[in-house]
Amino acid sequence: MQTYRNTLNGTLVDPVSCYEIFNPANGQSLGMAPESDEQEVDRAVQSAKLAQNSWAKQGDKERRDVINRVAQILEENSDYLAELITREQGKPLSGPGSRFEMQACVGWTQVPASLDLPPEIVYEDDERKDTLHRVPLGVVAAIAPWNWPLMIAIWQIIPAIRMGNAVVLKPSEYTPIATLEMVRLINQVLPAGVLNTVTGDGSIGSKLTHHPEINKIMFTGSESTGRRIIEASAKNLSPITLELGGNDAAIVMPGTNVKNIANDLFWGAFLNMGQTCACIKRLYVHEDDYDAVMAELSAIASQMKIGDGMDESVLVGPLQNKMQFEKVQELVSDAKTSGCDVREFGEVPDQGYFMPLTLVGDIKDGQRLVDEEQFGPALPIIRYRDLEDAVESANGLDAGLGASLWADKPAEASKLATRLEAGTVWINQHGAIHPMVPFGGNKASGYGVEFGIEGLKAVTQSRVVSLKK
């Protein structure tokens, strides 16, 4: 059985201890993952600290060239890493699955390498000239989730090192293997110590975020963990980028041609089996259009094959872990007990964390499946009579990552868009992120942004040089 290893200071290190990782589709063992301790966390941070100074001193062009070489390695190894993602995380190879995730890894590496963030003259007159520079923060602690393990890790790693920081990455304890292999591969071109890993459960993440040499924290995960990270950051006054998930609302405006939007609505909700922060988690439909929406989504769901994602014909895989599987089952069971119209689609394999694609109608605000982020393949569809009521419902929860409006006349939707309390409001699409477009949450979905120029700024600190003429 293969034992995977952490990378510290550019070298694979023998694990302190290990634990076994299993395929969520069939329960087969994938190998042993390392489990760090406090001493290994300290070694990783010290390695990053020692490497960061010389990395920051390299010219901007040199760093960009190295990152472009990282993109080449990701592209050359995309098939290998995609198969690891499918076996470990569960998402299918095909469709918007593991190969798609690897394409995103390449793109989100190339784009930061292409961007310029030069010094900016913010004020000048006859007597003075003030120039704003963006300089590295130092050592970045990056904590990645299990739903898009490599893609979100890249979102954290690449902007940070692009701007001259060094990184200590902790992947989720549920999905460490593919991430460790990705880090091993890209360390072939990175200077030793610029990118290090530690692994384990939340206690290791806590040791990392509490470490006195951490200068920035980037975290994607739950709100409860995010609040603990905020507390941890107080010791060092470390700036934070937090993406704490969402309970995204989508509103289909009255009279919209449902056939034109049904496929995009479906994947907006069921991408990665609903295990995506910016998925549609609540769908609000006018009462006159409700039956048509249910019929169209039912027709699509009934055609989907559920199974092991290594099968090229499969587009819907398992949930990633038992905890999430049981949570979604509980929420669907609550909806059934409450008398909701629960419609389940797809033949579910006998083993693995598989659930049918589930549409839940005759449900209202205040019920658990609506108010709690399910993070799984169960979509509540809520009738509304007045559009103002739908907007009020969409804004009624603390979550505020994404939202969407769906309409035959996008101009009408645009008038409503800024009233939805979310970091991104999409029109006739959902979850359509782009490496040039800032992305982040409002309210309890976190703060700070990633991607594009604003994402580069978020992993730097400003330094003003003020010259007296």
Side-chain angles (χ1 to χ4, degrees):
M1 183 183 300
Q2 184 169 353
T3 297
Y4 295 87
R5 294 183 286 176
N6 277 305
T7 299
L8 271 68
N9 199 32
T11 302
L12 293 172
V13 297
D14 291 332
V16 177
S17 60
C18 296
Y19 64 102
E20 198 166 2
I21 299 294
F22 298 94
N23 186 328
N26 54 32
Q28 293 178 357
S29 176
L30 299 177
M32 303 299 292
E35 193 162 20
S36 300
D37 58 11
E38 187 169 3
Q39 289 71 35
E40 190 163 83
V41 171
D42 186 62
R43 287 171 57 201
V45 174
Q46 295 304 326
S47 295
K49 184 180 179 182
L50 288 171
Q52 189 271 323
N53 189 45
S54 58
W55 175 242
K57 287 180 179 178
Q58 288 200 28
D60 187 64
K61 181 182 182 303
E62 286 74 16
R63 290 202 302 270
R64 292 164 76 158
D65 287 345
V66 170
I67 291 171
N68 279 319
R69 290 166 64 195
V70 168
Q72 290 176 356
I73 287 178
L74 292 172
E75 195 158 21
E76 291 166 359
N77 293 276
S78 61
D79 288 342
Y80 168 65
L81 293 172
E83 288 194 11
L84 280 180
I85 294 170
T86 293
R87 295 182 190 281
E88 182 178 40
Q89 197 278 334
K91 63 170 63 75
L93 284 170
S94 303
S98 297
R99 293 194 184 108
F100 171 83
E101 180 165 355
M102 286 310 304
Q103 291 171 0
C105 287
V106 174
W108 259 270
T109 300
Q110 294 170 330
V111 168
S114 73
L115 297 177
D116 291 311
L117 190 54
E120 176 187 358
I121 299 173
V122 292
Y123 182 78
E124 186 173 15
D125 62 14
D126 292 339
E127 298 179 350
R128 64 185 289 164
K129 179 180 179 180
D130 296 85
T131 306
L132 174 65
H133 299 258
R134 289 284 175 176
V135 300
L137 285 157
V139 179
V140 175
I143 302 178
W146 49 259
N147 58 332
W148 295 90
L150 272 63
M151 181 180 74
I152 293 179
I154 286 293
W155 292 356
Q156 298 168 336
I157 294 164
I158 298 302
I161 64 174
R162 161 75 179 82
M163 298 310 297
N165 302 285
V167 174
V168 179
L169 171 71
K170 192 198 90 68
S172 168
E173 62 268 35
Y174 292 111
T175 54
I177 288 176
T179 308
L180 293 178
E181 283 295 276
M182 178 182 73
V183 171
R184 176 184 66 81
L185 289 165
I186 63 180
N187 257 285
Q188 294 171 3
V189 296
L190 290 174
V194 169
L195 174 59
N196 310 271
T197 58
V198 294
T199 43
D201 61 16
S203 65
I204 297 302
S206 179
K207 288 178 173 62
L208 179 59
T209 56
H210 280 85
H211 196 285
E213 302 290 352
I214 291 298
N215 307 112
K216 164 83 179 184
I217 303 170
M218 303 182 77
F219 172 74
T220 297
S222 70
E223 179 187 340
S224 59
T225 303
R227 292 183 182 278
R228 291 196 293 272
I229 287 174
I230 293 171
E231 294 172 1
S233 72
K235 182 178 180 181
N236 300 335
L237 296 179
S238 303
I240 317 175
T241 299
L242 293 176
E243 198 265 82
L244 304 180
N247 197 338
D248 288 12
I251 300 173
V252 179
M253 295 181 69
T256 301
N257 186 325
V258 178
K259 287 185 179 294
N260 290 343
I261 64 171
N263 195 63
D264 288 338
L265 272 179
F266 177 86
W267 286 113
F270 292 105
L271 176 70
N272 195 26
M273 293 68 75
Q275 299 169 122
T276 298
C277 297
C279 260
I280 297 172
K281 310 281 179 33
R282 300 174 285 151
L283 180 59
Y284 292 91
V285 178
H286 190 270
E287 57 186 13
D288 293 342
D289 303 316
Y290 174 86
D291 289 340
V293 169
M294 286 291 283
E296 291 293 334
L297 292 181
S298 295
I300 296 171
S302 65
Q303 297 171 6
M304 293 295 159
K305 181 178 178 180
I306 300 173
D308 189 330
M310 294 300 293
D311 180 341
E312 295 278 358
S313 66
V314 167
L315 295 180
V316 179
L319 280 82
Q320 200 287 317
N321 56 74
K322 182 180 180 182
M323 173 192 69
Q324 196 60 35
F325 176 73
E326 291 178 346
K327 175 184 177 182
V328 183
Q329 279 193 320
E330 181 184 342
L331 292 174
V332 172
S333 177
D334 180 77
K336 289 178 178 177
T337 303
S338 301
C340 298
D341 177 15
V342 179
R343 306 183 188 185
E344 298 177 332
F345 303 90
E347 290 187 22
V348 177
D350 293 333
Q351 60 178 345
Y353 298 130
F354 290 97
M355 285 189 63
L357 296 167
T358 305
L359 303 175
V360 181
D362 294 334
I363 192 168
K364 298 178 180 179
D365 292 345
Q367 294 184 245
R368 289 186 63 194
L369 185 61
V370 178
D371 287 7
E372 299 178 26
E373 184 187 13
Q374 68 274 48
F375 219 64
L379 177 66
I381 303 174
I382 306 109
R383 290 185 178 93
Y384 71 85
R385 179 171 297 176
D386 184 87
L387 190 56
E388 289 296 320
D389 292 338
V391 172
E392 183 178 348
S393 290
N395 291 337
L397 301 180
D398 287 339
L401 184 60
S404 59
L405 293 160
W406 302 75
D408 290 341
K409 297 179 180 179
E412 292 183 2
S414 296
K415 295 175 184 178
L416 280 180
T418 57
R419 292 179 54 198
L420 292 177
E421 297 168 357
T424 302
V425 180
W426 292 281
I427 296 174
N428 290 340
Q429 56 185 354
H430 198 104
I433 55 174
H434 189 283
M436 290 291 287
V437 180
F439 178 70
N442 290 177
K443 302 194 292 187
S445 288
Y447 51 75
V449 296
E450 300 173 278
F451 312 162
I453 292 294
E454 295 303 313
L456 294 184
K457 291 179 180 179
V459 289
T460 65
Q461 55 191 328
S462 61
R463 185 161 297 161
V464 173
V465 176
S466 185
L467 171 68
K468 180 180 180 181
K469 292 183 176 179

